[in-house]
Amino acid sequence: MTTQQENYINSRIEAYYEECRDKRMEWIEKESQYYLEEEELKEREYCEGKLFGAALEAHIKKFLENEEEEFFQYHMQEFEEEIAPELEEFRKELEAECEE
């Protein structure tokens, strides 16, 4: 396989990966809103009678930041695991296409 063919394959795989990643990121953003709203309600219930005013709001803000980060990390790791076999299959298809 020539360098030009390898570069072609790598650029196509990268473009496919980025397209899939962007779609997943959009999904994560939408889903995280629902997830965080539910988690905020649960945490406010849990903190009821324990924290008040500014202390409660500061706690909730930090809690939501942590939850959002964990949600994002979990779903991006899941994406990476799901996309790896797809990328390998796509590479094989492109290599076969170049060999023709």
Side-chain angles (χ1 to χ4, degrees):
M1 183 171 301
T2 68
T3 302
Q4 185 179 8
Q5 289 172 323
E6 188 65 34
N7 289 342
Y8 167 76
I9 289 170
N10 288 337
S11 68
R12 291 280 311 272
I13 289 172
E14 185 178 337
Y16 178 72
Y17 172 83
E18 288 176 6
E19 178 185 335
C20 291
R21 185 194 66 211
D22 290 347
K23 287 179 184 177
R24 181 62 65 101
M25 298 270 294
E26 288 177 24
W27 180 85
I28 289 172
E29 288 176 15
K30 289 178 186 175
E31 289 299 310
S32 72
Q33 290 175 344
Y34 300 118
Y35 173 77
L36 292 174
E37 287 172 4
E38 289 176 11
E39 292 303 305
E40 179 180 0
L41 290 174
K42 290 177 190 175
E43 188 65 12
R44 283 186 184 277
E45 267 183 36
Y46 175 76
C47 292
E48 192 172 314
K50 299 173 187 170
L51 295 172
F52 303 96
L56 174 62
E57 295 310 314
H59 170 75
I60 294 295
K61 180 180 178 185
K62 183 66 176 166
F63 172 80
L64 291 175
E65 288 172 1
N66 291 338
E67 287 296 310
E68 182 175 31
E69 181 65 26
E70 286 179 24
F71 187 85
F72 177 79
Q73 296 274 340
Y74 173 81
H75 286 286
M76 285 307 293
Q77 180 179 355
E78 185 177 70
F79 166 74
E80 293 295 335
E81 292 169 3
E82 290 172 3
I83 196 73
E86 286 181 44
L87 293 176
E88 187 58 37
E89 185 63 33
F90 190 44
R91 176 178 287 286
K92 288 177 185 176
E93 291 172 16
L94 292 171
E95 287 173 350
E97 184 182 298
C98 287
E99 291 175 1
E100 293 177 352

